Amino acid sequence: MSTTKKEYKRVTVKSLVDMKKNGEKISMLTAYDYSMAKIVDAANVDVILVGDSASNVMAGHETTLPITLDQMIYHASSVIRAVYRALVVVDIPFGSYQSDPKEALRSAIRIMKESGAHAVKVEGGHEIKESVKRILNAGIPVMGHLGLTPQSIYKFGTYTVRAKEEEEARKLKEDAKLLEKMGCFAIVLEKIPAKLAKEVAESVSIPIIGIGAGNGVDGQVLVLHDLLGITQEFNPRFLRRYLNLFDEMGKAISQYVDDVKTSDFPNDDEQY
Ligand code: KIV
């Protein structure tokens, strides 16, 4: 298997499948606004996910459930305006695709049309298959999401590792195969045992992107605010923080407050 990195002018759903074939790992990160998306895209992240984690990190909700379709479209269109290279995938939020396939298609179409996004992501397998089919039939690329699916948190009751038991692992493997067969272009596997994730990645031809699913998969995704250390209270084992931006930004802002209070800012060069 070759691991040569190919330069993609624009990452497409096809490039991702090629990356898997070539053994090139896929990098994916969330973004929810123009300024951050510009930085993430310039850093050559392959896939930008406008995740419904915006509900947590942008709006301060405890879960992803409250965010609306209109709010997701607002975030997605801000991201799209910043991006030149990455594939932009948008979460269809809770309540906008589970009740019936026609509603699912309407929601996906609104996201594509009103934001200019390149693909959508949905959580679940067999139980949402008619919705997935409907969206795919309209020519909209779909990314699946299995394992810990935060939109179902009240069913799970906890954010602990999923599919440790044989029955749930079996269903997850079947769901991954089903999503591949229906035509999904990739699947996110969240918080499941690394051994199971590797097995799934080896059993399908589409890329498997992990979050808390070990290193045997085809790529990794993290929430941008967690990677940068803007969030402080969320500390799962799988998270690697690359910065402590909460402290760094806090220091800069405190310095600004001091400079204003002491009349140090603005100085003679900083006025007209
Ligand atoms: O909403 C989100 O950020 C996600 C990722 C954690 C995969 O779904």
Side-chain angles (χ1 to χ4, degrees), residues 28-32 49-57 64 72 91 121 123 143-145 148-151 188-190 209-211 221-224 226 234 238:
M28 172 162 148
L29 206 51
T30 66
Y32 318 97
L49 173 67
V50 183
D52 56 1
S53 49
S55 179
N56 310 107
V57 297
T64 58
M72 288 303 295
D91 266 329
K121 175 164 86 57
E123 296 183 4
M143 177 181 268
H145 184 155
L148 177 66
T149 46
Q151 292 180 8
V188 166
L189 288 185
E190 180 163 353
I209 317 279
I211 173 163
V221 53
L222 283 177
V223 167
L224 179 65
D226 297 336
F234 182 62
F238 67 76

Side-chain angles (χ1 to χ4, degrees), residues 29-31 37 40-41 45-50 79 83 86-89:
L29 206 51
T30 66
V40 173
D41 191 50
V45 167
D46 298 311
V47 183
I48 296 183
L49 173 67
V50 183
V79 166
V83 171
L87 181 85
V88 178
V89 181

Side-chain angles (χ1 to χ4, degrees), residues 43-256:
N44 280 340
V45 167
D46 298 311
V47 183
I48 296 183
L49 173 67
V50 183
D52 56 1
S53 49
S55 179
N56 310 107
V57 297
M58 300 303 284
H61 292 297
E62 209 175 295
T63 72
T64 58
L65 277 67
I67 199 158
T68 65
L69 186 58
D70 283 336
Q71 288 165 341
M72 288 303 295
I73 290 170
Y74 167 77
H75 286 298
S77 34
S78 310
V79 166
I80 278 288
R81 285 192 283 273
V83 171
Y84 290 96
R85 179 184 175 274
L87 181 85
V88 178
V89 181
V90 180
D91 266 329
I92 310 188
F94 175 71
S96 312
Y97 63 98
Q98 292 92 343
S99 56
D100 92 84
K102 281 190 189 155
E103 191 201 17
L105 177 58
R106 269 196 300 276
S107 302
I109 288 178
R110 279 202 60 202
I111 289 173
M112 301 297 282
K113 233 176 162 49
E114 295 177 37
S115 76
H118 310 135
V120 296
K121 175 164 86 57
V122 288
E123 296 183 4
H126 188 262
E127 58 288 351
I128 56 156
K129 85 168 191 243
E130 293 309 323
S131 294
V132 172
K133 240 192 248 171
R134 210 29 105 108
I135 299 170
L136 285 165
N137 282 344
I140 299 171
V142 177
M143 177 181 268
H145 184 155
L146 301 170
L148 177 66
T149 46
Q151 292 180 8
S152 304
I153 189 57
Y154 291 116
K155 183 174 90 182
F156 300 145
T158 143
Y159 284 99
T160 53
V161 180
R162 303 302 314 172
K164 286 208 303 209
E165 307 301 329
E166 204 176 304
E167 181 53 26
E168 196 179 335
R170 190 192 51 75
K171 182 180 181 311
L172 187 142
K173 285 190 264 187
E174 280 175 16
D175 280 343
K177 283 274 191 199
L178 176 70
L179 293 175
E180 176 193 37
K181 192 165 162 228
M182 283 196 294
C184 289
F185 71 92
I187 302 170
V188 166
L189 288 185
E190 180 163 353
K191 224 171 172 184
I192 64 166
K195 187 165 166 281
L196 172 63
K198 183 168 186 288
E199 207 183 305
V200 174
E202 285 169 357
S203 74
V204 294
S205 58
I206 56 174
I208 298 295
I209 317 279
I211 173 163
N215 209 357
V217 291
D218 307 303
Q220 299 293 328
V221 53
L222 283 177
V223 167
L224 179 65
H225 291 57
D226 297 336
L227 173 153
L228 295 176
I230 296 174
T231 50
Q232 295 278 289
E233 58 292 337
F234 182 62
N235 278 305
R237 191 205 298 195
F238 67 76
L239 175 60
R240 186 179 293 180
R241 287 194 201 285
Y242 288 80
L243 278 176
N244 186 342
L245 219 47
F246 185 93
D247 283 355
E248 291 302 308
M249 290 171 80
K251 271 188 236 156
I253 295 164
S254 297
Q255 184 64 56
Y256 163 74

